[in-house]
Amino acid sequence: MWHQISSMDQLREARVKDDNWTGLSDAAERRRRQNRLHQRAWRRKKAQQTPEEHEGMIEYGPHRLSEPSGLNVDNSLTQVMDLLRAHSCRPLQLYRQLKPFTYWEMLEVQLEAINEANGVPKHTDLHPTTSSRGHRQIIPPMIPYIDSIDELDGAIPNFSFPLSADHRLIVLIQYNVLRAFMTNLSILSYLHRLPLECGAALNIEFISSAPNSIPPSLESTELQKRIAHDVWMDTFPWASMRDNLVLNRGKYDGDDLCIDLMGGLYEGFDEVEKTGLIVWGEPWSETGWEVSERFATKWSFLLKGCHILVESTNRWREARGEERLVIEV
């Protein structure tokens, strides 16, 4: 049933009834409409920005860093800004291979048709994980969506400072997770599968140098080989989690999972509580990561069989003097 467009913040850019994504059960269509609104919002804000507003920001792009006079940038903020430096170092041909969300959404439909033909239907009952998000953004989007590769040069990332200490923390956590997954995409030779709209991530420096061959932690399981699925599931360095992602297709909202992990960089943050994973070591290492308490609760079904990740989490927590998490795997 069609619901009348409301004045909710997330529908501010809606112009026609087909822009309204609320109440849609079709994840692909919902994502398509949301992305259309995000694009409009970004273009509107960019067009409305005055020279005075522009000068009131510290921008970190591939080519420059401008600091307004009188702003006290302490050492920690300088370190944050160093970490957020962009590097346009990918081959131009890679950028030209990127395809928009709509292309990958159609491919996902085709993959599921293959699975259904092979007797592996997709679930249609959503797991109770999706939580309603607040409408007030306390941290704005850090990385804009783009429409074409022409917008990549000098545009990404474009971080606005100052940020308070707790705001810096959640931004850095998600930023490093994004860098880690980009590294794993590179190892698997899947960088070209990044949606065009998110292509700005190609300007971000990898979290560490990728090995020359695929490490055992990223090698495909028998289930991955048997069931057609989207390649983003392959970037998690735990075989059990990858299998859980594949087996539970249709039971969870992939967009919601992405936002908890690193999507706040593109969508903005409604809160500063850690909701995803934290990377401490090499992105492909099973022991280089930690699970946040919120992730362990909300996405518990993805942790089934992930004993190494749980032990790694508690090892990092104990090192900080925190209590161990009790997670049933």
Side-chain angles (χ1 to χ4, degrees):
M1 177 182 294
W2 167 250
H3 299 274
Q4 184 178 2
I5 295 179
S6 71
S7 59
M8 291 188 299
D9 290 345
Q10 63 263 50
L11 292 178
R12 179 178 178 180
E13 303 299 327
R15 298 172 183 170
V16 296
K17 72 175 186 178
D18 286 343
D19 286 337
N20 193 342
W21 53 264
T22 58
L24 287 177
S25 59
D26 186 326
E29 178 61 23
R30 183 171 65 250
R31 184 188 311 153
R32 192 159 33 239
R33 296 186 186 187
Q34 287 174 331
N35 182 62
R36 186 162 61 227
L37 299 184
H38 295 154
Q39 293 282 344
R40 287 178 190 163
W42 176 61
R43 285 193 292 267
R44 175 178 55 80
K45 291 176 183 178
K46 187 176 181 180
Q48 292 176 348
Q49 188 180 52
T50 66
E52 291 75 16
E53 291 171 333
H54 185 81
E55 291 174 359
M57 297 180 180
I58 292 180
E59 294 189 354
Y60 224 132
H63 308 298
R64 67 187 186 282
L65 167 63
S66 58
E67 178 183 334
S69 59
L71 181 61
N72 181 19
V73 182
D74 58 21
N75 290 335
S76 63
L77 180 52
T78 302
Q79 293 172 7
V80 170
M81 295 168 73
D82 285 341
L83 286 171
L84 301 182
R85 185 185 298 274
H87 297 261
S88 301
C89 54
R90 311 291 171 239
L92 181 59
Q93 183 59 32
L94 177 59
Y95 292 90
R96 290 173 175 166
Q97 293 180 46
L98 302 183
K99 295 179 175 60
F101 277 128
T102 52
Y103 176 91
W104 300 117
E105 288 161 357
M106 288 188 292
L107 179 62
E108 183 179 359
V109 173
Q110 294 172 1
L111 293 177
E112 290 305 331
I114 294 174
N115 287 330
E116 188 170 357
N118 291 329
V120 187
K122 180 179 180 179
H123 296 286
T124 56
D125 52 327
L126 274 176
H127 195 282
T129 59
T130 305
S131 59
S132 59
R133 298 185 180 275
H135 306 324
R136 182 178 66 88
Q137 286 189 340
I138 61 175
I139 307 177
M142 295 281 132
I143 305 177
Y145 291 103
I146 63 171
D147 290 317
S148 71
I149 62 172
D150 295 332
E151 299 173 15
L152 285 168
D153 185 35
I156 309 301
N158 186 14
F159 295 88
S160 300
F161 289 94
L163 291 174
S164 62
D166 58 339
H167 289 188
R168 270 179 242 164
L169 178 60
I170 187 63
V171 169
L172 280 177
I173 286 175
Q174 289 211 359
Y175 187 71
N176 280 329
V177 169
L178 174 59
R179 294 169 66 205
F181 279 111
M182 291 296 292
T183 302
N184 288 348
L185 278 172
S186 176
I187 294 172
L188 297 168
S189 298
Y190 284 156
L191 284 175
H192 65 288
R193 296 293 298 271
L194 196 69
L196 169 63
E197 291 84 349
C198 299
L202 291 175
N203 280 351
I204 295 172
E205 186 177 21
F206 293 161
I207 203 167
S208 57
S209 298
N212 295 325
S213 59
I214 297 178
S217 59
L218 291 176
E219 290 181 351
S220 296
T221 65
E222 289 303 316
L223 190 68
Q224 287 175 265
K225 297 175 183 177
R226 183 169 58 87
I227 300 180
H229 59 280
D230 204 332
V231 298
W232 64 265
M233 300 180 189
D234 299 341
T235 59
F236 292 80
W238 309 280
S240 294
M241 184 176 291
R242 295 196 298 272
D243 283 354
N244 293 334
L245 286 165
V246 173
L247 284 173
N248 287 279
R249 297 170 350 277
K251 282 192 172 184
Y252 60 90
D253 187 334
D255 291 337
D256 195 32
L257 175 60
C258 177
I259 288 177
D260 281 352
L261 292 172
M262 53 194 164
L265 297 170
Y266 286 91
E267 302 285 343
F269 297 82
D270 296 329
E271 56 186 344
V272 296
E273 184 177 354
K274 296 185 288 292
T275 59
L277 302 175
I278 306 169
V279 58
W280 294 106
E282 294 174 332
W284 57 88
S285 171
E286 296 180 81
T287 60
W289 296 74
E290 177 183 341
V291 174
S292 68
E293 293 185 44
R294 279 276 293 276
F295 188 94
T297 300
K298 181 176 177 180
W299 303 99
S300 58
F301 67 97
L302 295 180
L303 298 176
K304 183 179 179 181
C306 298
H307 301 279
I308 295 178
L309 176 56
V310 172
E311 284 305 310
S312 173
T313 294
N314 286 323
R315 189 160 53 248
W316 290 111
R317 290 178 63 87
E318 288 176 341
R320 298 193 300 269
E322 298 178 5
E323 294 184 358
R324 293 174 62 90
L325 287 183
V326 178
I327 304 174
E328 294 185 8
V329 295

